[in-house]
Each structure stands twice: as structure tokens, then as C-alpha cells.
Amino acid sequence: VGSEDLDLAPPLCTFAPLGTESKWGDTNPYAAKKKLQYWFQLPNGDWELGKMLSTSGSESVISLPEGKVLKVDSGSLLPANPDILDGVDDLMQLSYLNEPSVLYNLQFRYNRDVIYTKAGPVLVAINPFKKVPLYGNNYIEAYKSKSNESPHVYAITDTAIREMIRDEVNQSIIISGESGAGKTETAKIAMQYLAALGGGSGIEYEILKTNPILEAFGNAKTSRNDNSSRFGKLIEIHFSETGKISGAKIQTFLLEKSRVVQCADGERSYHIFYQLCAGASPALREKLNLQSLNDYKYLRQSTCHSISGVDDAEQFRVVTEALDIVHVSKEDQESVFAMLAAVLWLGNISFMVIDNENHVEPVTDEGLNTVAKLIGCTMAELKQALSTRKMRVGNDTIVQKLTQPQAVDTRDALAKSIYSCLFDWLVEQINKSLAVGKRRTGRSISILDIYGFESFDRNSFEQFCINYANERLQQHFNRHLFKLEQEEYIQDGIDWAKVDFEDNQDCLNLFEKKPLGLLSLLDEESTFPNGTDLTFANKLKQHLNSNSYFRGERGKAFTVCHYAGEVTYDTTGFLEKNRDLLHLDSIQLLSSCTCHLPQIFASNLLAQSEKPVVGALHKSGGADSQKLSVTTKFKGQLFQLMHRLESTTPHFIRCIKPNNRQSPGMYEQGLVLQQLRCCGVLEVVRISRSGFPTRMSHQKFARRYGFLLLDNVASQDPLSDSVAILHQFNILPEMYQVGYTKLFFRTGQIGVLEDTRNRT
Ligand code: ATP
Ligand code: MG
């Protein structure tokens, strides 16, 4: 069919046209045009709306808004939706679900501060980077009473509560998106709604107060987000049988420890360090021998010490108040601050050469002295831990002296593990305070705020772990959505095998297969004393080159074909980060010290170092290896997470960052499109396109189009009328399915019917 034959873009009829134009209070420049509109891609990648003037099949002439007329390849044009569909609430309502149409619809809404849109079952949230008047008690009331049903975090959270009660099934709200896209804010908005609806016992205040605490200790300013979460988080909120919140439990994933000892210029370490330095009382300063930010090497590495619009001293007050509320005693709080000060002072410890073999010892200065005092050991013990390494060889213990770089690594490893133990300990304390009573008979809603897919110019171990996690989550997402589709088809007795669905199991296999998967090979290489990043990369190439999801690159790099696109990883630092060693000496030091919080180290550090050992980890001989590798531990956590999520009804929120400048009012099409692809929104759209997204009951279909029947043989039977209509209009059999109660159509199929109906 030549496009010229149609003079109206085919509208869909499964939605009620809501008087869209008046709703938005403005007019579209194209509103008056009755010609077919098409999307035309400009050289910069953006899409522009053009009007088809003529077409010869392979070539078409279109006019663009500024009056420009172009001759273009017809294959490069994508159909645009009729104006009446501008700014629809749900992308599924679009007749044409192509990328520019989706982009345009989201932008249309975003320009009007309508940041939420549904993509079928998924909520898309576009970061406004400014206050938008969409929250607070009035809105909560409106969603609660269902007087407002437009897409919103409140709406999806409300659905979760209702389904939890109605189906007696635990729910989950899974939030994903790039750094800075708004996941953490979205999670807080959902928590706010839960607290408002399920509050009453007072525990909801405690739950809300965990946010400032975890943000202080686990968030930092990065180049992409002033308040970037450097860990993943699952909070499970429990409800009693009467629908009231009865408690909560938090689980965290993969804290970025390295930030404690090094951060890029323009970024900061964890907020809490700056808050402590700015907000500690004179008495506390004296006790901890606390100096100003500039006196600490770890903080001085970056020239960025403050965040515009943030008062660190005031935040310190907020955090201590929140710690009070979650029942961390003043005494424990002081111990926490002492450990933070110890970390800062550790960074100041320097080393001097003591023999002609370049072995070093820490300089005896204020730094060494203060650290020893704060963690509760002697200076001699600390000195020893920082300048020697005990190795077990057979039954003997050998003491090895350290060189400058080894000593610095040991010092930094100690600082990182003090901090991460402190973080874990805090989460534990919070969990104790929020603990669900013994009568845990009710249900729960879990909120997952986890790093989204990452692809940078240079991708390292962190991206490798994060993208692996996203590959797992994507599978959960796909399978769930596919299942939903399937259920509806099966219910109506149609042949669902015709819905094709792409599983990413093959890519997951690339990661998880034993013994020749990315994770196993990494663990194996990490245990070899002579293993290096290069030998690791070579091993990958040797064993995985035939895998179509893998590609060896030059030097130390390799590429993985993720569901969201190809990512090339540079293996530099992979082995060391995966081993994440803390030497026996440091472990002994921490467990024997009389510092304020020995239980921090006792419960976390030691537990970790004593766990059963992975595969061949013994082989390296040292006590160093008595520990799970980072990826093994992470994989375990992920499996446990997926297991938990699988027993819940999931609700998905995809956060989108409209620009990289954290500024309001800027919508960059290319950037948004790339995220829509990565977080699977277009995939949902694709799944639905490959299925039968347009559904109409036999009755409605017969009523709507019955009068078009040529021989006017309309019977009393809606089904036979429907079939007669389908035949008359030559709708191809593969384009529709007849269910028990409904007709199912592939996208765009009933356009011609609507068209004829409108002309008649
Ligand atoms: P990361 O992965 O780095 O932790 P994130 O996805 O959690 O990023 P957020 O910290 O939630 O991102 O959001 C970044 C910033 O965007 C917030 O600090 C806030 O300024 C702004 N923002 C996000 N969502 C909203 C919203 N709904 N309303 C107003 N501002 C928002
Ligand atoms: Mg965050």
C-alpha cells in the first residue's frame, strides 16, 4: 500500500481519546495538518517531524517544519502518531511504537513537568532536576482515593500495596537507571507513600530516617551525581495483617570501598567524612584529634570539598539525629566517629626506608599515634601490621618485610576494610532497630535501588560487576513481562507461541558457566600467585573466543555483548580488586584491638575471612586467601536477591536522566534513547509489538466496525460478525488471533478499519 493512499495516520481504538489537546492547553504546530507525518532522522541523530509530500516507493519527498523540503530514502522514515496521541499516559497507547515516537511522547510530557509515563506495566520516570509539584499529602490522598490515576511512583506503590493485600503475595518495586537518573529519590518517594498509608506505629519514622544515614555513609559526590549512591540497596518493608508497617530490613550490595582511599579530582569521598569535619562539636574534635579537611591526605586528593547547596555541618546534625532515632546510642555514635577519624588519620601515615633492601616502616608521628589511640592498640602493634606480612608456608610462619608500595597498599587496605566493616555494622544496627517482631505473619514490599547498566569510555571491574547484576535483573524483567503476556493469551485461549521473546540466558552463561565462564576464570586466575591482568585476559581469549557474546580485544581488554549493548572492559586491576586482600596481620590487629567497636570487626571481618574458600583458593599458600573473592560473594548475594525477588510480584520503575549536566529543562534525545534501550523500556515495547498489543472484545469490535460490512449481513453473533469484518478487510491471519472473549491484533492492524470508519 503506497503511503499516499492513506490520508490519516491510523489511530488506535483501544483507548478513549481524552480530548488530549485541551488537556495540555496548547496547540501542536502540526495539529491542523491532515497529511501523514513521518519521523526523519537528522545528521546529528535527533529526529524531526516531517510531512510526506509524495513518494515513489523507494524515495519520498518530505517537508520539515522550517519549510525545508527534502528528498529522502523512504526506508529511513518512520511513521509518526496522530496529534491526538500527543502526550499519552501510556506508551502502549501509541499506534506507532517506534523510537522517535516514544522519545517525542516522553519529551512532550517532560516539557510540561509530567515526568512519569507508563510503558505498559513499567513506570518511566524522567529526572526533572528541580522541584516539581507532584508530591506531598494532597497527592498522596489523591492516589490513595484513586481520584488521581495518572502515572506516578505513588500509583505504582499503591498498586503494590493493594496487590499485597488482595493476593497475599509479597511485592517488590525494582528501580533502575543510570547514575543520576533519580533512583534513590524515587525510592524515597515510594517509601514516603508506604509510610503515609501504612504508618501509625511510629516505626515508619525510623524507616524514613535510615535514608539520611545510609546516604551519609554510602553516597558521595561524583562527576555524574552530587549525591551518588556507591552501593546497591534492598529495603524490605514488612506489614502486619492489618496493613500497618511492622518493621523493615535492609540489605546492601557491593559498597565502593576504593573511594575511601582514592577519588578522582572533582569528586568527593563519602559525605560523612566532610560532615564530621564540618559539624563535630569542639569536645568531639578534641577527643578524636580531628583536624580540618585539608589536613587529611585522603580528602585532599581532590580539590572538591563542598557541594553547592549542601551544608555539611547541618547534615551532620541531621545524621546524628537520625542515628538517635534508629537507636544507635550516643556512645556507639562516638565510636563510629572515632573509626572515621582513624581512617582519615591512617591516610596520613607515611613510611621511611629502614634498610638497604628498601624495606620500610611507618614514620612515628601524630598520624601513627592517633590511629593507634583511636583503634586501641599500641604504636608498636600498628607499626608491625603496616610494615610486615606474615605468610604461612606449610606449618611455618614466615615474616616478610614490606617495601614502600606494599606498605602503602597494606595501609589503604586497612582503611578500606575499617570503613566497609563500619558500614556493614551500621546496617546491622539499623536492622536491629527496625526488626520485625516475632509475630511476623504479614507481608512485605521490597524496594530495590541498584546501580543501572554502565558503559563508559573505560570500563573496569566495577562496571563488570554492575553489568553482570543488570544482566540478571534484565532476565528477571523479561521473564516477568513475558509471563504476564503469556498469561493473558493463555487465559483467552490464543496461541502464545507466536510471541517471540529474547532471553539473555546465553550472556548470563558467559558469566556463570563453570569452569569456563568469566567469573570462574577470574577466580581461578586470582588464586595463581603469578596471575596478572594480562594472563587473565589471555585466558579469556583462549577459552571464550568461540562464544558469540564474547570478543577478545587487543592487549588486556575484552568485550561482552550485553543485552543493552557491547561493553569493552579493561582488565587492569581486575585480579587485585577481585582478591580484595586484607592481610592476616591486619585482621589480627583489628580483632585484638581494644577500640570502641571490636564487635564491628569481630562480626564482619572475621566472619568473612573464615568462610569456606572458593575453588582452588588455598593454592597461593598465604593466609591471605582465606576469603571469598569479591565476585564470588557478589554472585552469591545476587542469587539470593533473585531468589527473593522471584517470590514477589514485581513492579518496575525505570529512571531516565535527560541530560548529563544535572540541569532542569534539557532533554537530549540521544541520551534518553540510549537509556530507554539500556533499561529495557524499548524492549517492553518490542515484546508487546511482537505480541498482540491491541485487544478488543468481540462485542466492542462488532459494534464499532459492524456497520462497515458490505453485504450488511450483521448477525446477532459478535464473533461471526468480527470474523466477517476481518475477512472483508483482508487482515492477514498472522496479524490477529481470535480469543475466547477478545480479538488480539498486532500493532497498527486496525488502522485501516479506523480509517474507513472515520471516512464513512
Ligand atoms: P546514583 O546511581 O548515582 O545513586 P540515582 O539514580 O540514585 O543516582 P538520585 O540521587 O536519586 O540518582 O538523583 C540525582 C538528583 O536528581 C537528586 O539529587 C535530585 O537533585 C534530582 N532528582 C531526582 N529525582 C527527582 C525528583 N523526582 N524531583 C526532583 N529532583 C529529583
Ligand atoms: Mg542513588
Side-chain angles (χ1 to χ4, degrees):
V1 182
S3 314
E4 273 183 322
D5 299 341
L6 302 174
D7 66 10
L8 253 184
L12 235 146
C13 32
T14 44
F15 65 95
L18 295 169
T20 323
E21 280 158 53
S22 62
K23 180 174 154 198
W24 297 108
D26 64 0
T27 45
N28 184 300
Y30 295 93
K33 312 237 167 61
K34 286 283 175 242
K35 278 280 181 189
L36 264 188
Q37 300 176 114
Y38 282 90
W39 292 109
F40 170 69
Q41 194 162 29
L42 301 172
N44 72 0
D46 283 0
W47 294 85
E48 187 133 39
L49 206 48
K51 198 175 67 172
M52 167 103 52
L53 299 178
S54 68
T55 181
S56 68
S58 64
E59 269 194 346
S60 300
V61 178
I62 58 162
S63 70
L64 294 177
E66 320 86 61
K68 235 197 295 180
V69 175
L70 289 177
K71 195 180 239 186
V72 298
D73 176 4
S74 302
S76 69
L77 296 178
L78 289 169
N81 289 283
D83 305 324
I84 190 147
L85 295 180
D86 279 349
V88 289
D89 273 356
D90 190 333
L91 298 174
M92 290 303 179
Q93 293 167 357
L94 295 174
S95 290
Y96 297 110
L97 294 167
N98 52 43
E99 290 180 350
S101 297
V102 167
L103 274 176
Y104 172 76
N105 196 70
L106 294 174
Q107 183 169 16
F108 185 94
R109 294 168 70 83
Y110 185 71
N111 289 345
R112 290 156 184 80
D113 285 349
V114 184
I115 62 169
Y116 299 116
T117 304
K118 290 300 282 283
V122 178
L123 179 69
V124 177
I126 306 191
N127 191 339
F129 288 117
K130 65 175 183 185
K131 272 203 154 53
V132 280
L134 296 173
Y135 313 109
N137 287 338
N138 292 342
Y139 274 87
I140 290 176
E141 276 308 315
Y143 279 93
K144 186 176 157 191
S145 64
K146 291 222 171 266
S147 62
N148 189 343
E149 292 191 282
S150 55
H152 199 291
V153 182
Y154 291 163
I156 210 166
T157 312
D158 194 79
T159 306
I161 300 177
R162 283 171 202 269
E163 291 187 2
M164 172 183 74
I165 295 169
R166 186 192 68 198
D167 305 338
E168 298 189 328
V169 171
N170 292 342
Q171 308 284 310
S172 54
I173 298 176
I174 299 175
I175 306 171
S176 59
E178 281 188 8
S179 178
K183 298 179 293 293
T184 303
E185 294 302 317
T186 299
K188 286 191 277 191
I189 294 163
M191 285 165 80
Q192 198 184 61
Y193 191 81
L194 290 179
L197 264 71
S201 64
I203 191 92
E204 70 273 16
Y205 294 115
E206 277 189 53
I207 292 175
L208 294 176
K209 288 296 178 188
T210 61
N211 288 320
I213 300 173
L214 290 180
E215 285 183 24
F217 285 85
N219 287 25
K221 175 182 160 59
T222 67
S223 58
R224 283 167 290 145
N225 181 358
D226 285 354
N227 183 33
S228 184
S229 318
R230 311 312 299 161
F231 65 105
K233 177 175 116 177
L234 179 77
I235 180 165
E236 191 176 277
I237 299 177
H238 289 261
F239 291 81
S240 68
E241 277 163 338
T242 55
K244 293 288 162 208
I245 295 178
S246 58
K249 193 172 160 223
I250 293 172
Q251 188 192 358
T252 60
F253 303 88
L254 209 67
L255 177 74
E256 179 189 58
K257 290 195 239 187
S258 58
R259 183 165 296 271
V260 174
V261 300
Q262 67 187 187
C263 77
D265 196 34
E267 303 203 340
R268 296 205 316 180
S269 182
Y270 289 101
H271 295 328
I272 190 66
F273 289 115
Y274 306 85
Q275 296 171 353
L276 177 68
C277 289
S281 68
L284 185 60
R285 308 193 88 83
E286 175 145 359
K287 229 174 184 167
L288 308 183
N289 188 21
L290 203 59
Q291 309 295 313
S292 77
L293 291 172
N294 272 312
D295 295 313
Y296 294 113
K297 278 199 195 133
Y298 283 156
L299 304 183
R300 216 163 51 204
Q301 299 176 75
S302 165
T303 49
C304 173
H305 292 165
S306 59
I307 301 173
S308 77
V310 176
D311 177 348
D312 284 317
E314 164 62 12
Q315 282 305 309
F316 187 70
R317 204 191 52 71
V318 170
V319 171
T320 47
E321 197 180 284
L323 287 167
D324 291 339
I325 291 173
V326 300
H327 303 104
V328 175
S329 69
K330 283 289 180 205
E331 200 190 340
D332 279 350
Q333 288 182 33
E334 204 175 293
S335 307
V336 168
F337 302 140
M339 290 302 106
L340 293 173
V343 168
L344 291 177
W345 277 112
L346 255 176
N348 283 7
I349 291 178
S350 56
F351 299 90
M352 59 181 180
V353 177
I354 49 158
D355 59 18
N356 52 14
E357 284 176 81
N358 275 330
H359 293 132
V360 295
E361 226 176 48
V363 175
T364 308
D365 61 5
E366 189 186 13
L368 192 77
N369 189 9
T370 310
V371 174
K373 263 197 199 131
L374 289 171
I375 68 175
C377 64
T378 65
M379 288 227 272
E381 285 167 330
L382 182 59
K383 251 186 176 169
Q384 196 198 352
L386 294 180
S387 58
T388 60
R389 182 179 301 169
K390 279 198 210 79
M391 307 258 281
R392 257 183 231 140
V393 177
N395 290 330
D396 300 328
T397 304
I398 297 178
V399 178
Q400 189 194 357
K401 288 183 183 161
L402 304 181
T403 60
Q404 167 91 13
Q406 290 172 326
V408 168
D409 279 351
T410 304
R411 177 198 69 191
D412 288 350
L414 184 61
K416 286 189 285 189
S417 69
I418 291 179
Y419 192 80
S420 73
C421 285
L422 188 62
F423 187 76
D424 290 344
W425 178 84
L426 256 178
V427 173
E428 248 177 72
Q429 299 313 298
I430 290 173
N431 282 336
K432 276 185 200 156
S433 177
L434 302 179
V436 190
K438 287 213 175 60
R439 296 165 288 109
R440 180 204 276 228
T441 48
R443 290 284 166 192
S444 71
I445 297 181
S446 299
I447 302 175
L448 182 68
D449 167 6
I450 202 155
Y451 13 64
F453 185 81
E454 290 186 349
S455 175
F456 305 129
D457 292 338
R458 190 178 166 277
N459 300 289
S460 184
F461 181 73
E462 289 76 11
Q463 282 70 46
F464 179 76
C465 292
I466 289 172
N467 291 343
Y468 164 54
N470 275 278
E471 207 63 66
R472 274 246 145 259
L473 282 166
Q474 184 66 18
Q475 182 172 66
H476 179 62
F477 179 73
N478 280 346
R479 291 195 167 168
H480 173 74
L481 293 177
F482 182 56
K483 211 173 103 214
L484 279 185
E485 286 276 294
Q486 239 185 49
E487 273 164 10
E488 182 161 4
Y489 296 151
I490 290 172
Q491 227 169 39
D492 228 62
I494 79 162
D495 183 4
W496 57 268
K498 293 195 173 148
V499 184
D500 82 75
F501 155 73
E502 216 168 87
D503 201 1
N504 60 341
Q505 186 60 51
D506 287 342
C507 186
L508 278 168
N509 287 344
L510 171 66
F511 277 85
E512 293 168 353
K513 242 179 96 186
K514 286 177 184 167
L516 297 179
L518 294 170
L519 300 176
S520 294
L521 288 168
L522 175 59
D523 268 354
E524 185 183 82
E525 207 61 15
S526 303
T527 63
F528 291 148
N530 296 330
T532 64
D533 298 326
L534 182 63
T535 59
F536 167 58
N538 286 338
K539 220 166 242 180
L540 293 184
K541 290 176 203 171
Q542 182 193 334
H543 294 295
L544 300 174
N545 248 348
S546 59
N547 189 313
S548 58
Y549 290 82
F550 175 89
R551 200 172 63 233
E553 300 290 345
R554 284 181 56 190
K556 292 194 285 180
F558 67 95
T559 298
V560 174
C561 303
H562 288 285
Y563 71 91
E566 293 190 353
V567 179
T568 299
Y569 299 97
D570 177 349
T571 60
T572 307
F574 263 54
L575 296 197
E576 198 199 307
K577 285 175 179 169
N578 188 44
R579 289 180 187 132
D580 190 32
L581 293 184
L582 185 63
H583 300 301
L584 184 63
D585 312 70
S586 302
I587 295 176
Q588 282 175 346
L589 176 78
L590 291 179
S591 47
S592 67
C593 67
T594 57
C595 72
H596 305 69
L597 291 172
Q599 77 267 32
I600 293 179
F601 307 112
S603 65
N604 294 308
L605 196 68
L606 290 175
Q608 209 185 69
S609 67
E610 279 164 8
K611 272 205 187 121
V613 175
V614 210
L617 274 174
H618 301 283
K619 283 189 193 142
S620 65
D624 291 348
S625 54
Q626 295 291 313
K627 187 172 166 289
L628 289 173
S629 74
V630 171
T631 46
T632 300
K633 190 177 163 212
F634 186 53
K635 183 177 155 194
Q637 278 194 326
L638 265 184
F639 270 76
Q640 193 205 345
L641 171 69
M642 298 321 298
H643 188 71
R644 267 161 76 175
L645 291 181
E646 264 152 30
S647 64
T648 66
T649 303
H651 304 268
F652 296 97
I653 304 180
R654 302 310 215 194
C655 295
I656 305 278
K657 181 167 65 167
N659 63 69
N660 277 325
R661 301 192 199 175
Q662 306 185 47
S663 53
M666 270 175 69
Y667 184 95
E668 292 173 17
Q669 288 190 5
L671 185 72
V672 174
L673 182 59
Q674 170 218 325
Q675 293 169 80
L676 288 173
R677 286 186 186 142
C678 285
C679 70
V681 168
L682 292 175
E683 190 68 8
V684 177
V685 162
R686 198 195 65 79
I687 290 177
S688 95
R689 203 207 262 128
S690 67
F692 300 88
T694 310
R695 287 138 212 203
M696 207 183 291
S697 68
H698 303 159
Q699 285 83 359
K700 186 169 176 197
F701 190 80
R703 220 183 307 126
R704 195 165 175 92
Y705 305 113
F707 76 98
L708 295 175
L709 278 175
L710 289 177
D711 35 7
N712 211 3
V713 286
S715 65
Q716 287 308 306
D717 174 22
L719 180 56
S720 39
D721 284 356
S722 299
V723 172
I725 299 163
L726 293 171
H727 285 157
Q728 178 179 317
F729 282 85
N730 276 333
I731 310 259
L732 299 172
E734 62 268 28
M735 291 301 170
Y736 69 90
Q737 292 246 11
V738 181
Y740 299 140
T741 62
K742 284 180 238 165
L743 297 165
F744 294 75
F745 295 93
R746 296 211 191 263
T747 318
Q749 284 310 305
I750 48 184
V752 62
L753 289 175
E754 268 304 281
D755 194 22
T756 316
R757 184 177 179 271
N758 289 343
R759 272 190 295 203
T760 310

